[in-house]
Amino acid sequence: MNERVLVVGSLNMDLTIRVPRLPAPGETVSGQDAVRGAGGKGANQAVAAARLGGLVRLVGLLGDDEFGARLRSGLHREGVDATAVGTLPGAATGLALIVVQEDGENSITLAPGANRHLDEAALIRLTGGDPARFTADSDILLLQLEVPVATALAAARAARAAGVRTVLNAAPMPPFDDRLRQLIAYTDVLILNQSEATALLTAAGLAATGPWPRRAAALRGLGPDLVVVTLGADGAVAESADGPLSHPGFPVDAVDTVGAGDAFCAALTLALAAHTPPATALRRACAAGSLATTRPGAQAALPTRAEVDRLLAPEGG
Ligand code: ADP
């Protein structure tokens, strides 16, 4: 059973430097050697879905530089179909400069580069020129917001017209305008972490306090059939058509939570594409998210389907 997932999203090169403490403005701090890693929420979730057994196609843009070439070969190694990942002449590949302090506190500077140019016209060009066939051969569409909201909206609209469900991980949370409101209305499954959920509730004029299940229910009023809020080590809550759901985090030795949200989103998307009931899908997603915290790095930490199955086995799969 290979669910076919279409991801429209960002690709970045992450450059990480570990330092004793974050520099103050104007200060220089020496750290360890810089480590290069593939990143960007679009690419991370595409790779996560491929490791979890999905047939994954990524739509995005790279610059025509060395980083772009490295990211493309990384996708190839992971078995992600990158034929709809374009190379934009004269543009730089998205770059994240990440500085991590000893206690894990970090600061990130992002240069979106080519990702910024993924507009609706690029989307149509990269996927064969016919918007009506955009989601052909896909069981589900997975979006994040490191690409322009207008692009995500165009993708979600085309998916809705074709009867394909859209999962939106609204991260990072952009300003709440008409376009974002429309995008959420075209979204079937909305996934947020606590800070994104709080930001959206506040911006939409909804109560941003009270128990999480009630807050997820309020967000469901914006249109999605299923709203999921991830709660870090505490797992996740959701509001579905059949009412509230929740699953605790799996007790693991967490060393680095980077990548947990991406693994969670990919696992939930694949499970829902396979018509798994939401409660079971939530459990799989929590398992995948928890496993991603047991290893350092973003894509390097993403678990495989076998690892998720092993973690779930004592509970009966
Ligand atoms: P994000 O990384 O997007 O902020 P979260 O921190 O909420 O998202 O993590 C996503 C999911 O990963 C959680 O719902 C949970 O299932 C799992 N997870 C995250 N941190 C831990 C942890 N310390 N222990 C166990 N599971 C975790």
Side-chain angles (χ1 to χ4, degrees), residues 193 196 230-233 235-236 249-250 252 254 257 260-262 264 285-287 289-290 293:
N193 68 14
E196 290 146 7
T230 64
L231 307 174
F250 285 78
V252 291
T257 61
D262 293 327
F264 182 100
C286 283
S290 300
T293 70

Side-chain angles (χ1 to χ4, degrees), residues 103-221:
D103 63 0
E105 185 67 55
N106 63 38
S107 102
I108 302 177
T109 307
L110 185 68
N115 295 302
R116 216 197 295 264
H117 299 285
L118 189 71
D119 56 15
E120 190 175 350
L123 191 67
I124 294 169
R125 182 167 42 80
L126 291 166
T127 52
D130 181 358
R133 291 201 39 80
F134 165 64
T135 53
D137 307 321
S138 303
D139 297 315
I140 203 156
L141 172 68
L142 175 57
L143 303 170
Q144 320 76 27
L145 292 176
E146 283 182 348
V147 297
V149 175
T151 310
L153 174 58
R157 259 205 192 114
R160 178 66 57 91
V164 169
R165 277 188 297 170
T166 294
V167 179
L168 171 66
N169 175 212
M173 180 62 65
F176 190 66
D177 57 9
D178 248 18
R179 266 204 292 243
L180 181 60
R181 190 185 281 278
Q182 279 185 60
L183 171 61
I184 292 171
Y186 275 105
T187 293
D188 297 282
V189 180
L190 177 64
I191 308 173
L192 308 151
N193 68 14
Q194 293 171 85
S195 54
E196 290 146 7
T198 301
L200 181 57
L201 285 161
T202 307
L206 300 165
T209 54
W212 276 112
R214 196 185 306 154
R215 287 191 252 178
L219 288 171
R220 192 165 175 274

